Amino acid sequence: MKRSEPMSESYYYILLCLAKGATHGYGIMQMTEKLSGGDVTIGSGTMYGATVNMIKKGWIREVMSAEGGPERRRLYVLTDEGRSALRAEISRLRRMLENAEEV
Amino acid sequence: MKRSEPMSESYYYILLCLAKGATHGYGIMQMTEKLSGGDVTIGSGTMYGATVNMIKKGWIREVMSAEGGPERRRLYVLTDEGRSALRAEISRLRRMLENAEEV
DNA sequence: AAAAATATGTTGACACCCGACATATGTCGT
DNA sequence: ACGACATATGTCGGGTGTCAACATATTTTT
């Protein structure tokens, strides 16, 4: 079992938003800002780069628009691999906090 | 109050080790590995770059060797600013985990 | 009809982080 | 005395992520 690479804050929130049900880039940007109380902002450049990257990693997948939806949206869903990458990251964060507790 | 920048895993562990009492680079590397159960390894390149950077940020300060100690060690201590940077990072991690709980 | 919100994409530059390598001294067993 | 290993710091190149700024187009609100 290889050690899981640390993930950036932006990537983490993108996966988190998708796990919670957001479906397109702009929605993820808004949801992240709301979730974090305005502390985390994902710029469009970061968002776009991240989607390309995550598709390559197999963490997310683009799906077809539903009938009647605004078709200029690009919809994404989390894959099983994406879900486990998110879980691994959550474990990593927890371990980091546990290590801090002894201070 | 400006939003605190995310910190890398390595930087976090370096501050954590200094808060716990480690005093020189090599000691921090070993302590990090032990603390994390072997999951986190800080390479010497990371360590060196980090000390330079953190001194510039005012997070750590180099102190003189005690009499009789092996004088090729370079000893570092956490500054008040370093301590609050660490606290800010811990809050950020906690917030990230709280945001995940609702999933 | 204008303005603002929605929505995605492109580019360039910078900071950062890490792995691999390099160097030197101290210590331990044989 | 010797080799091997642990201790300890420093150098360098490459890759990645991030953001600002710009670009474009549609939809909703005023």
Side-chain angles (χ1 to χ4, degrees):
Chain A
M1 159 103 78
K2 202 183 67 183
R3 138 156 170 68
S4 66
E5 298 304 314
M7 186 183 295
S8 75
E9 190 177 53
S10 300
Y11 277 41
Y12 175 78
Y13 273 97
I14 291 169
L15 292 183
L16 204 55
C17 289
L18 284 174
K20 281 174 189 282
T23 48
H24 66 294
Y26 191 69
I28 291 170
M29 294 186 222
Q30 291 174 120
M31 190 169 174
T32 296
E33 193 139 9
K34 195 184 160 201
L35 251 185
S36 67
D39 284 342
V40 183
T41 309
I42 298 177
S44 61
T46 304
M47 188 68 229
Y48 179 67
T51 53
V52 171
N53 205 327
M54 285 182 179
I55 286 172
K56 212 182 299 171
K57 283 179 198 280
W59 289 355
I60 65 174
R61 193 162 42 82
E62 188 174 354
V63 293
M64 292 300 105
S65 290
E67 306 282 322
E71 64 290 310
R72 75 185 194 284
R73 289 182 175 181
R74 314 194 67 159
L75 309 181
Y76 302 99
V77 290
L78 212 53
T79 62
D80 289 343
E81 282 171 73
R83 203 168 290 273
S84 63
L86 178 57
R87 267 198 297 262
E89 181 63 8
I90 290 174
S91 304
R92 191 182 70 92
L93 294 175
R94 265 205 270 270
R95 189 205 58 213
M96 286 173 76
L97 280 176
E98 276 162 27
N99 287 150
E101 259 164 32
E102 304 151 38
V103 174
Chain B
M1 158 105 76
K2 200 182 65 183
R3 138 156 168 67
S4 66
E5 299 303 315
M7 187 184 295
S8 74
E9 189 177 53
S10 301
Y11 276 45
Y12 175 78
Y13 273 96
I14 290 169
L15 292 182
L16 204 55
C17 289
L18 283 174
K20 282 174 189 281
T23 48
H24 67 294
Y26 190 70
I28 291 170
M29 295 187 222
Q30 291 175 119
M31 189 168 175
T32 296
E33 193 138 11
K34 194 183 158 199
L35 249 186
S36 67
D39 284 342
V40 183
T41 309
I42 298 177
S44 60
T46 305
M47 189 67 229
Y48 178 68
T51 53
V52 171
N53 205 326
M54 286 182 179
I55 286 172
K56 212 183 299 172
K57 284 178 198 279
W59 289 356
I60 64 174
R61 195 162 42 82
E62 188 174 354
V63 293
M64 290 303 106
S65 291
E67 306 281 324
E71 63 290 310
R72 76 184 193 284
R73 288 185 177 179
R74 313 193 68 157
L75 308 180
Y76 303 98
V77 290
L78 211 54
T79 63
D80 290 342
E81 282 171 72
R83 204 168 287 275
S84 62
L86 178 57
R87 268 197 296 263
E89 181 64 7
I90 288 173
S91 304
R92 190 182 70 91
L93 294 175
R94 267 204 267 270
R95 190 205 56 213
M96 286 173 77
L97 279 177
E98 277 162 25
N99 287 151
E101 260 163 33
E102 304 150 38
V103 174

